[in-house]
Amino acid sequence: MRVFTSLSLIALIVAPLALFAQAPANTPAAQQVPPMGWNSWNYFAERVDDKEIRAAADQLVSTGMKDAGYVYVNIDDTWEGERDAGGVLHTNAKFPDMKALADYVHSKGLKIGIYSSPGPKTCAGYEGSLGHEEQDAKMYAEWGIDYLKYDLCGFIPDVMEKQAPNDKAAQMKLMVAAYETMNSALKATGRPIIYSFCQYGWDAVWEWAPATGGNLWRTTGDIEPEWNRIYTIISQQEGLESYAGPGHWNDPDMLEVGNGKLTLAENRTHFSLWAMLAAPLLAGNDLPNMKPEIKAILTNRDVIAIDQDQLGKQGSRIYSDGEVDVWTRYLSEGALAIAVVNAGSDRYATHPFHLNLRKLGLASTQAGRDLWTEKTIELTENMPLELSSHDVLLMRVDAPRRPGVLLAPAPKTQTGAAQ
Ligand code: GAL
């Protein structure tokens, strides 16, 4: 027992160090945890302008979201104007002065992000960076940009399908090279800029993104403020756990918390699962008109602490029973997060689900905390849990007890996405 315990302790200490060693070289030190902030697309889409970005920055501060960790204010597509004769890209009329806007966002103690595409056109048909990568990256750095979302979109029809028709492998090579080109351009600026890949998970992006400078990479197509889409995306994250780690994260897309017709339970589950997945937390709602209950979800510090846990280990779905899924996530200092999700109907509100601690590798009694009610909770084998439709029970167990083991076993060593 003593030998096992010491090995576990060593693993607990060494595993996180190994993770830090794999972070892409241009990662700012502070970005060892998943990025947190706000992005304009999910609520404003093409309607975003300078005024909305300033309002979002103001709101992040006044709502306490900044204090809770949300620092990036990210402008998505539709800020781009035309290129001049020298190839310099100008903003369009919605964004009269990008440098002044960046200064404003920085003056609030926040950071600013921008969007482009490796293609000649972006997804919304605006000017992309093809052939102007160095020029654009230099301009972003001069403006003081801290984050770039690089969206494949226009590159698919205009480069991949044109240059390599009917040759998927050659198309994928072109795609990887395009991300590498912008990586070199960003590095050459000398400014630490978070590099976010948006190419919907094509060609197992998690395997090559970190070596190509990616700090985060989308793993799926677009999210929508709708339970079935969110649950599909959650399910698609299974098996990607080993690719995430400090400085490089799977990105199941930006948050829809507070958008569309999501119920409070659905908003809670969406946010809880993004935390379990060590996902970037980029709110995408209408901040000036945020309801108190939505603010309460987005600023729940205990849930954010799960997402931002220094160990950087993404959670896994351990088992499903009927329509209920049980996820766990290893946390630093041997703690464990457990999420029980009712993906089905309200019948579990009256006919409880019974939690199997043994399947989670846990002893039959545990002291935990419910992170949504803030109540302590005694976990017992086969305990009945009443969960309404699409709701979640999210718990933190600080000192998990394993059957016959004093210490929690160390998480498996991180393999890293590039290996
Ligand atoms: C999509 C992307 C969205 C948004 C949009 C803008 O490709 O997945 O998140 O950026 O383009 O046109």
Side-chain angles (χ1 to χ4, degrees):
M1 175 66 76
R2 180 162 293 162
V3 171
F4 178 81
T5 303
S6 334
L7 285 176
S8 297
L9 269 175
I10 290 166
L12 278 172
I13 294 162
V14 169
L17 295 179
L19 297 179
F20 276 90
Q22 291 169 359
N26 61 345
T27 305
Q31 211 46 76
Q32 296 297 333
V33 290
M36 287 180 68
W38 177 88
N39 174 292
S40 61
W41 187 257
N42 282 356
Y43 182 76
F44 289 104
E46 306 191 10
R47 301 188 312 277
V48 70
D49 62 12
D50 178 286
K51 198 172 122 270
E52 306 293 3
I53 296 295
R54 284 172 196 255
D58 294 345
Q59 293 295 318
L60 285 183
V61 176
S62 65
T63 57
M65 284 178 72
K66 177 191 163 203
D67 290 341
Y70 295 84
V71 293
Y72 288 95
V73 180
N74 291 352
I75 308 166
D76 210 278
D77 202 354
T78 79
W79 63 268
E80 310 88 340
E82 302 296 323
R83 289 192 190 274
D84 63 23
V88 176
L89 178 60
H90 294 269
T91 53
N92 62 39
K94 297 192 297 158
F95 290 89
D97 187 340
M98 198 61 96
K99 172 84 175 84
L101 179 56
D103 289 348
Y104 182 79
V105 171
H106 287 147
S107 77
K108 302 266 159 188
L110 298 165
K111 292 173 186 273
I112 186 161
I114 210 158
Y115 167 102
S116 190
S117 171
K121 294 285 175 210
T122 67
C123 247
Y126 288 70
E127 198 62 23
S129 290
L130 184 67
H132 297 276
E133 294 84 355
E134 273 185 36
Q135 210 168 11
D136 288 359
K138 203 161 157 278
M139 183 175 69
Y140 303 151
E142 281 162 11
W143 283 341
I145 297 294
D146 305 295
Y147 184 117
L148 172 68
K149 172 174 167 183
Y150 209 43
D151 188 349
L152 189 65
C153 223
F155 192 79
I156 303 168
D158 290 325
V159 179
M160 289 159 66
E161 287 170 1
K162 271 202 187 121
Q163 285 188 22
N166 309 319
D167 186 346
K168 272 272 172 261
Q171 290 183 6
M172 296 306 150
K173 275 196 182 141
L174 288 166
M175 173 180 71
V176 175
Y179 277 89
E180 183 51 56
T181 302
M182 184 50 94
N183 182 41
S184 305
L186 291 174
K187 277 207 181 115
T189 69
R191 184 177 174 84
I193 296 176
I194 296 292
Y195 190 19
S196 157
F197 291 16
C198 175
Q199 48 76 280
Y200 338 112
W202 281 21
D203 204 31
V205 59
W206 38 87
E207 289 186 356
W208 52 268
T212 316
N215 298 112
L216 60 153
W217 50 85
R218 281 270 296 278
T219 53
T220 68
D222 286 15
I223 194 167
E224 282 156 35
E226 198 258 315
W227 170 258
N228 285 338
R229 182 66 194 138
I230 290 171
Y231 185 69
T232 300
I233 288 182
I234 291 169
S235 302
Q236 286 174 339
Q237 307 313 303
E238 266 192 301
L240 303 184
E241 299 89 323
S242 65
Y243 297 100
H248 50 97
W249 309 102
N250 289 309
D251 175 11
D253 207 353
M254 305 169 297
L255 293 166
E256 292 281 15
V257 174
N259 286 342
K261 291 197 169 80
L262 293 173
T263 65
L264 267 189
E266 289 167 348
N267 279 309
R268 250 193 316 269
T269 304
H270 174 21
F271 197 62
S272 302
L273 265 289
W274 261 235
M276 292 296 284
L277 292 166
L281 296 181
L282 294 168
N285 57 326
D286 179 11
L287 293 179
N289 295 303
M290 177 164 55
K291 294 200 175 113
E293 57 272 28
I294 295 301
K295 179 175 125 179
I297 291 175
L298 288 170
T299 55
N300 182 317
R301 304 268 179 145
D302 289 334
V303 181
I304 291 172
I306 303 289
D307 181 77
Q308 299 281 294
D309 186 83
Q310 294 290 324
L311 189 58
K313 185 141 178 70
Q314 181 173 322
S316 306
R317 177 150 58 183
I318 303 299
Y319 77 96
S320 301
D321 187 352
E323 295 171 299
V324 177
D325 300 328
V326 183
W327 292 71
T328 63
R329 178 175 172 187
Y330 286 104
L331 304 170
S332 44
E333 292 171 21
L336 188 74
I338 305 172
V340 186
V341 179
N342 174 6
S345 68
D346 256 335
R347 82 178 149 100
Y348 292 100
T350 46
H351 294 79
F353 171 77
H354 291 267
L355 182 63
N356 189 327
L357 293 179
R358 231 171 33 151
K359 281 193 181 156
L360 306 184
L362 294 172
S364 55
T365 54
Q366 305 281 334
R369 203 150 47 84
D370 178 330
L371 302 186
W372 288 111
T373 63
E374 293 175 10
K375 291 198 175 120
T376 54
I377 191 165
E378 164 98 311
L379 286 86
T380 53
E381 184 59 304
N382 219 24
M383 68 191 289
L385 298 176
E386 290 172 355
L387 281 170
S388 54
S389 176
H390 304 170
D391 211 344
V392 66
L393 172 64
L394 180 65
M395 294 170 288
R396 183 183 180 107
V397 178
D398 278 324
R401 293 176 52 253
R402 309 276 169 185
V405 181
L406 292 175
L407 260 180
K412 280 182 221 131
T413 309
Q414 179 78 20
T415 50
Q419 295 167 8

